[in-house]
Amino acid sequence: MLLPKQHVIKASLVLSAAALAMSLTACKSSGNGANQNFVLNGAGSTFVYPVMSHWAQSYNDLHNNVQINYQSIGSGGGVQQVKNGTVDFGASDYALTDAQLAGMKPVLQVPETAGPVCITYNLPGLAKPLQLSSDAITGIFLGKITTWHDPILVKDNPGINLPNSKIVVAHRTDGSGTTAAFTTYLSAVSPEWKSKVGQGGAVNWPAGVGAKGSEGVTEQVRQFPGGIGYVELTYAQQNKLPIASVRNLAGNYVQPSTASTTAAIAAFSDQLSKDPRSPIVNPPASAAQAYPISILTFLLIPKDGTDQAKRTALKGFVQYIIGDGQATAGQLNYAPLPDGVKQYDQQTLNQMTVNGQPIP
C-alpha cells in the first residue's frame, strides 16, 4: 500500500464535523451491536500511520459496519487525547511510565508492531548508501559535525566522494515517539548527548530546523540539499529519499528493514517477555545483523468504557491487529511481533471492560 502524498496525509482519515456527528449518533449502543455502524476514532503516532491506514482499510473490508478514523498527530498528541477521553484509542511510539499512567484513568498498553527509525538524507550522486557510526550521528545532531566532508564521515565512508557542503539537520517539533526512540538511542551511545540533551518525546535540540510530524521532517530533508533527518522507513521510501546504513555494536553497517528490526527484537526477547516497554535500541554485539535504532509501538486503550457495543467493536479491531494484521505488517517495513509479545497482548486485551464487566 502506498503512503498518500504528504499534503493529503494529515487529513486523509479525518471525518468532516457533520459526518462525524452522524456517525457517532449511529454508534449509540443497544444490545450487542451486530447490526450497527461504528466509527472508532484514534490519534497519535505518525510513525505507525502507514500500517494503521492499511489495518483500518483491511478491517473495514472484513467488517463494513466498522470504520476506523486515525489522525496522524504525533505520539504526544495521541497520549493527550486518550488522557482527555476524546478518542477511542491512541497510538504511541513510547510506552507510558508508571508515573505517567498514575495521572490518567486506567489505560491498557498493547504493543502493536515494531519498526526502524531510519536516517534519511539528501545527497544526490553517492555511489552507495551513506554509512553512519554512532559518533557521526551524535556529532551531526549535536551540531558538532557541520559539513559532509567531516573526517568522521569520511572515515565511515571509505572510497566515497562526499561533498564539502553544509549539513542541514531536520528534527521533530511536536511530542513524538519517534523522537523518544531516536534520543533513547543517542543517549545509549553518547554520554555527551545523555548529559546535555537527554531522551524524551520532546527535547531541546542543539542544532537544526524543526518540523511537525514524520511528514514534516521528510519534507524538510527532501527540499534542502545536504538535509538529514530521522523518520519511519516508509516515509523515506515513498518520497524516494535514500536511507543510511547505521553501524551497530557488532561493527556492521546495517540497513533498516523488517529483518534487521526482527533481529533487534530477538536480542531483547528476555526483557520483552517480562516488560514489553523495554527499549530495543543499541542491541548487543551478539546481534550481528540487528538495526540499532528500532522501536516497539503501542496502542493506548482506555481500560473501561460505557458503550458495550462500541467497546466490543474496538476489541475486535485490536484483536485483528495483534492477530491476522501482523502478517501484513512486513509489507510496509514493520516487523511482526514475536510470540511472547503477542501472548502478552492477548492477556492485556482480555482486561478490557465495559461498566466494569469483562467484554465477551
Side-chain angles (χ1 to χ4, degrees):
M1 174 179 175
L2 293 181
L3 187 67
K5 291 184 179 179
Q6 293 190 326
H7 66 279
V8 177
I9 273 181
K10 294 181 182 178
S12 62
L13 289 180
V14 183
L15 290 177
S16 68
L20 179 58
M22 292 174 63
S23 299
L24 291 176
T25 299
C27 288
K28 292 181 179 178
S29 66
S30 60
N32 61 15
N35 298 315
Q36 292 178 261
N37 293 321
F38 296 94
V39 175
L40 302 176
N41 295 299
S45 163
T46 64
F47 182 94
V48 81
Y49 176 80
V51 73
M52 183 65 74
S53 301
H54 179 81
W55 284 332
Q57 183 59 60
S58 296
Y59 193 74
N60 180 252
D61 291 342
L62 296 170
H63 305 272
N64 59 16
N65 66 320
V66 181
Q67 181 178 352
I68 297 95
N69 294 306
Y70 181 78
Q71 300 178 53
S72 174
I73 62 173
S75 296
V79 171
Q80 190 60 46
Q81 289 206 23
V82 170
K83 188 174 184 178
N84 294 342
T86 54
V87 292
D88 299 303
F89 68 94
S92 173
D93 306 325
Y94 58 88
L96 301 181
T97 65
D98 291 342
Q100 290 170 316
L101 291 170
M104 305 171 65
K105 291 182 179 180
V107 171
L108 303 175
Q109 299 192 87
V110 178
E112 58 184 323
T113 190
V117 177
C118 76
I119 308 297
T120 186
Y121 56 93
N122 185 349
L123 287 174
L126 291 191
K128 65 177 185 177
L130 187 70
Q131 296 185 159
L132 295 173
S133 61
S134 58
D135 288 344
I137 297 171
T138 53
I140 288 170
F141 283 87
L142 280 169
K144 298 173 69 174
I145 296 177
T146 59
T147 69
W148 286 107
H149 209 257
D150 186 274
I152 292 178
L153 294 174
V154 172
K155 182 180 178 181
D156 280 345
N157 296 274
I160 300 298
N161 186 22
L162 293 170
N164 190 18
S165 58
K166 182 180 178 181
I167 295 174
V168 182
V169 175
H171 59 74
R172 294 280 290 273
T173 56
D174 52 324
S176 162
T178 311
T179 295
F182 186 52
T183 56
T184 297
Y185 165 76
L186 294 174
S187 294
V189 299
S190 169
E192 182 179 8
W193 182 277
K194 185 175 182 179
S195 64
K196 289 184 176 180
V197 184
Q199 65 189 64
V203 299
N204 292 320
W205 292 96
V209 294
K212 187 175 181 180
S214 294
E215 305 95 335
V217 171
T218 306
E219 183 65 15
Q220 288 283 355
V221 174
R222 190 183 67 80
Q223 285 187 347
F224 293 100
I228 188 170
Y230 60 96
V231 296
E232 192 276 328
L233 181 55
T234 300
Y235 288 95
Q237 290 183 336
Q238 293 296 323
N239 284 274
K240 303 187 186 308
L241 288 169
I243 299 151
S245 298
V246 178
R247 191 173 188 265
N248 62 19
L249 284 179
N252 298 321
Y253 291 95
V254 179
Q255 276 274 298
S257 67
T258 299
S260 60
T261 301
T262 299
I265 295 172
F268 292 97
S269 58
D270 288 345
Q271 295 94 316
L272 292 173
S273 66
K274 298 172 185 174
D275 186 353
R277 295 181 296 179
S278 302
I280 57 172
V281 299
N282 203 36
S286 57
Q289 300 306 316
Y291 183 71
I293 322 176
S294 300
I295 60 171
L296 283 174
T297 73
F298 298 82
L299 292 172
L300 307 177
I301 305 166
K303 184 176 186 297
D304 193 41
T306 59
D307 187 326
Q308 179 171 346
K310 194 174 184 182
R311 293 280 290 172
T312 301
L314 176 59
K315 184 178 180 181
F317 177 54
V318 179
Q319 186 73 63
Y320 168 77
I321 288 175
I322 66 175
D324 292 345
Q326 292 298 302
T328 63
Q331 300 171 16
L332 292 167
N333 302 311
Y334 298 86
L337 298 172
D339 289 342
V341 176
K342 287 193 288 187
Q343 291 170 7
Y344 171 93
D345 281 353
Q346 190 63 63
Q347 293 170 358
T348 303
L349 185 60
N350 289 340
Q351 298 174 36
M352 282 184 69
T353 58
V354 58
N355 296 316
Q357 299 300 311
I359 298 173

